[in-house]
């Protein structure tokens, strides 16, 4: 194993800096996956569509299947869950005789054999960074603006309520009415709690 000049770390373990937008091209250029990976992905998607039609009634599997699109990581999780739910279908050689288990294992192996999962993950990363992150930032900005607006309105309403309460107390004083009696009378006729100023 080659040693790096920067210390005792092997060259294979040194980090590499790849711009996220060029990751898919880099994977194809380094032959980690082929240029025709979309064709293989389409074939895998067809198999996923067929496999989804015959699934056990397991809550997590149902949630995974209802997600917008099943990717490699979802498929791996489905296989893990099927290992539990289809445990009684193992034969004496330790292989699963269940067709649904065979279908999902085949899907995962197709992802891994042609390294389609690398290209798909790179594509998802690029899409998320380019579209999902900016959309989330905009959503956060809108939520923060709404929060500021609500806080401003709350302080305005609190100020208005304090002014009206003061004015009410002054009017009662002019009319020589005890504020406490008026408030108690109101409380008796109303279900809305009102805290008098002492």
């Amino acid at each position: 194993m080659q040693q790096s000049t920067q210390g005792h770390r092997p060259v294979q373990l040194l980090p590499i800096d790849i711009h996220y937008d060029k990751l898919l091209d880099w994977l194809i250029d380094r032959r980690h996956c082929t240029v025709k990976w979309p064709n293989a992905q389409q074939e895998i998607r067809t198999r996923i569509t067929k496999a989804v039609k015959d699934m056990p009634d397991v809550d997590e599997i149902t949630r995974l299947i209802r997600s917008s699109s099943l990717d490699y990581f979802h498929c791996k999780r489905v296989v893990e869950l099927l290992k539990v739910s289809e445990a009684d279908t193992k034969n004496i050689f330790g292989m699963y005789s269940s067709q649904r288990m065979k279908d999902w294992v085949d899907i995962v192996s197709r992802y891994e054999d042609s390294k389609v999962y690398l290209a798909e993950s790179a594509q998802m990363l690029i899409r998320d960074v380019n579209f999902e992150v900016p959309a989330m930032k905009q959503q956060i900005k809108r939520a923060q603006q709404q929060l500021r607006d609500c806080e401003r309105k709350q302080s305005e309403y609190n100020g208005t309520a304090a002014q009206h309460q003061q004015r009410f107390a002054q009017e009662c004083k002019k009319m020589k009415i005890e504020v406490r009696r008026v408030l108690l009378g109101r409380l008796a006729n109303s279900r809305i709690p009102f805290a008098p100023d002492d």
Side-chain angles (χ1 to χ4, degrees):
M1 201 180 271
Q2 284 184 324
Q3 295 290 320
S4 71
T5 57
Q6 296 178 349
H8 299 291
R9 288 176 69 183
V11 173
Q12 289 87 352
L13 298 179
L14 289 175
I16 54 175
D17 189 19
I18 303 167
H19 194 272
Y20 79 92
D21 215 10
K22 304 290 182 201
L23 180 58
L24 186 55
D25 296 333
W26 185 89
L27 288 169
I28 292 169
D29 289 346
R30 301 300 184 281
R31 295 194 175 115
H32 291 291
C33 52
T34 65
V35 178
K36 296 181 180 180
W37 72 269
N39 298 339
Q41 184 190 36
Q42 190 60 45
E43 185 182 329
I44 291 169
R45 291 258 167 247
T46 304
R47 289 179 181 273
I48 288 173
T49 304
K50 289 178 185 173
V52 162
K53 293 176 182 172
D54 175 37
M55 293 303 292
D57 191 25
V58 177
D59 289 340
E60 191 172 350
I61 291 176
T62 307
R63 264 187 278 119
L64 284 172
I65 290 171
R66 286 185 183 156
S67 69
S68 58
S69 66
L70 289 171
D71 58 30
Y72 167 73
F73 303 103
H74 290 121
C75 293
K76 288 271 288 186
R77 183 66 184 144
V78 167
V79 169
E80 289 171 16
L81 294 168
L82 284 175
K83 283 180 182 176
V84 175
S85 69
E86 304 288 314
D88 57 339
T89 64
K90 273 189 178 182
N91 59 24
I92 58 172
F93 301 111
M95 303 297 288
Y96 291 93
S97 59
S98 163
Q99 186 58 44
R100 66 172 62 123
M101 185 63 165
K102 288 177 184 176
D103 291 344
W104 285 99
V105 168
D106 178 55
I107 289 167
V108 170
S109 67
R110 284 175 183 272
Y111 262 120
E112 292 170 349
D113 290 345
S114 55
K115 305 281 197 269
V116 173
Y117 73 98
L118 290 174
E120 185 181 70
S121 298
Q123 187 182 45
M124 286 167 46
L125 176 70
I126 292 166
R127 184 186 64 234
D128 287 349
V129 171
N130 285 337
F131 301 108
E132 299 297 327
V133 171
M136 291 299 287
K137 284 181 178 178
Q138 287 298 320
Q139 197 172 355
I140 289 168
K141 266 186 176 177
R142 282 194 298 271
Q144 287 173 337
Q145 183 60 45
Q146 283 180 337
L147 181 64
R148 283 193 294 272
D149 291 345
C150 289
E151 286 172 347
R152 181 181 49 78
K153 284 180 182 178
Q154 182 184 8
S155 65
E156 287 174 7
Y157 294 151
N158 286 343
T160 304
Q163 287 174 356
H164 286 299
Q165 205 169 0
Q166 231 177 14
R167 188 169 165 220
F168 174 73
Q170 287 172 352
E171 292 297 321
C172 285
K173 205 174 201 180
K174 281 182 189 174
M175 301 173 126
K176 297 184 181 177
I177 302 172
E178 282 186 49
V179 177
R180 200 166 202 60
R181 278 191 180 175
V182 173
L183 294 178
L184 288 174
R186 272 194 187 169
L187 285 174
N189 296 328
S190 172
R191 294 181 183 171
I192 301 168
F194 189 81
D197 279 343
D198 289 328

